[in-house]
Amino acid sequence: MRSLPARRTAAVALTAAASVVLLAGPAFAHVTVNPGNAPQGGYTAVDFRVPNENDTASTVKLEVNLPLDHPLASVRTLPMPGWTTTVEKAKLDKPLKVHGNDVNEAVSKITWTADAGTKIAPGQFQEFRVSLGPLPTDTDKLIFKALQSYDNGDVVRWIDEAKDGQPEPAKPAPVLALDKAAAGDDHGVTATSSPSAAADGHGHGDATNQAAAGSSTKSSDSTARVLAVVGIVVGLVGAAFGVLGLRRKNGGSAS
């Protein structure tokens, strides 16, 4: 029969293992931008990934606010069957200079509303694709505050900004990190490219390929994190049974 200390040791180890799994789960359930990074000055195609976190309600609307402190001259949405897309624009206090031309307004918000019979049900997720550009060169990130609405009236506000050195907020806003473009890199279209590039979307194909590559990288990172969590759980459980085996052996020797 196991001793009381041995049973307590096993219980503590198993509880710790379960806690690791539970804490790791929510990290993958935020509204996010995928891929999470893109080169400064170019165009990119990103997906706003929306998981349904409610066990009893379905997501029926997503609102994404675009930053007007770093406005984007070109914003285009990919048609989504079953969803109605609305794009709102705002007048800029200071015109944006793109390809030698002044841009006086920029997209401020995109709203996707589910048509009748369409929803993101519990246990499901949806991706909403947008092409953006030219990306600014005077910041290292773009923050997209988002609101997720459910058919029971609940609204989840993904608007909190992460602070350096502090834990991630409970409802973080989706963030697109901007990397400095490598010298001589001609992928995507920069603000110094020909005016026709912005007009006809030239370079968006390259941006889509970059987005796919970035999405693959992010998927690999997520897999690595999951495997790390599993490794921790296995290690904790193994340690618990190791302690139990040692105590049994010692108990047998004493007799």
Side-chain angles (χ1 to χ4, degrees):
M1 181 176 180
R2 296 180 183 176
S3 65
L4 181 59
R7 291 198 298 273
R8 286 179 176 174
T9 300
V12 169
L14 293 174
T15 300
S19 299
V20 169
V21 173
L22 291 174
L23 291 174
F28 304 105
H30 301 330
V31 172
T32 56
V33 179
N34 297 279
N37 62 288
Q40 294 179 345
Y43 286 87
T44 190
V46 300
D47 293 315
F48 289 96
R49 184 173 298 166
V50 183
N52 193 93
E53 296 185 311
N54 196 311
D55 293 333
T56 59
S58 298
T59 298
V60 292
K61 185 166 71 171
L62 173 69
E63 301 170 66
V64 174
N65 293 278
L66 281 67
L68 290 179
D69 54 344
H70 296 289
L72 299 166
S74 176
V75 176
R76 304 180 184 183
T77 61
L78 184 71
M80 288 283 298
W83 295 81
T84 298
T85 307
T86 303
V87 176
E88 298 180 26
K89 294 185 177 182
K91 187 174 181 60
L92 301 176
D93 295 332
K94 180 181 179 181
L96 183 65
K97 185 74 71 173
V98 180
H99 309 302
N101 300 316
D102 287 340
V103 176
N104 295 304
E105 63 178 13
V107 173
S108 58
K109 183 167 73 171
I110 305 173
T111 302
W112 288 271
T113 305
D115 299 336
T118 300
K119 60 185 178 181
I120 307 174
Q124 298 180 347
F125 75 95
Q126 182 61 271
E127 292 182 333
F128 301 87
R129 173 153 288 209
V130 180
S131 69
L132 309 168
L135 300 175
T137 58
D138 58 349
T139 183
D140 61 358
K141 64 182 176 181
L142 291 176
I143 299 175
F144 301 91
K145 296 185 178 182
L147 275 65
Q148 179 180 9
S149 298
Y150 289 86
D151 57 8
N152 65 352
D154 290 349
V155 177
V156 181
R157 301 170 61 83
W158 301 96
I159 62 174
D160 297 331
E161 297 184 28
K163 304 296 184 182
D164 291 339
Q166 296 184 11
E168 183 182 57
K171 303 296 179 184
V175 176
L176 176 65
L178 301 179
D179 306 323
K180 290 185 179 297
D185 184 3
D186 58 358
H187 292 287
V189 180
T190 67
T192 58
S193 300
S194 63
S196 62
D200 64 11
H202 175 67
H204 285 198
D206 287 341
T208 302
N209 292 335
Q210 293 169 7
S215 181
S216 176
T217 300
K218 189 173 184 67
S219 177
S220 298
D221 292 342
S222 297
T223 301
R225 287 196 295 270
V226 171
L227 291 176
V229 170
V230 172
I232 293 173
V233 173
V234 172
L236 289 171
V237 174
F241 282 106
V243 170
L244 290 175
L246 182 60
R247 289 182 176 275
R248 283 181 174 180
K249 181 177 180 180
N250 290 340
S253 299
S255 61

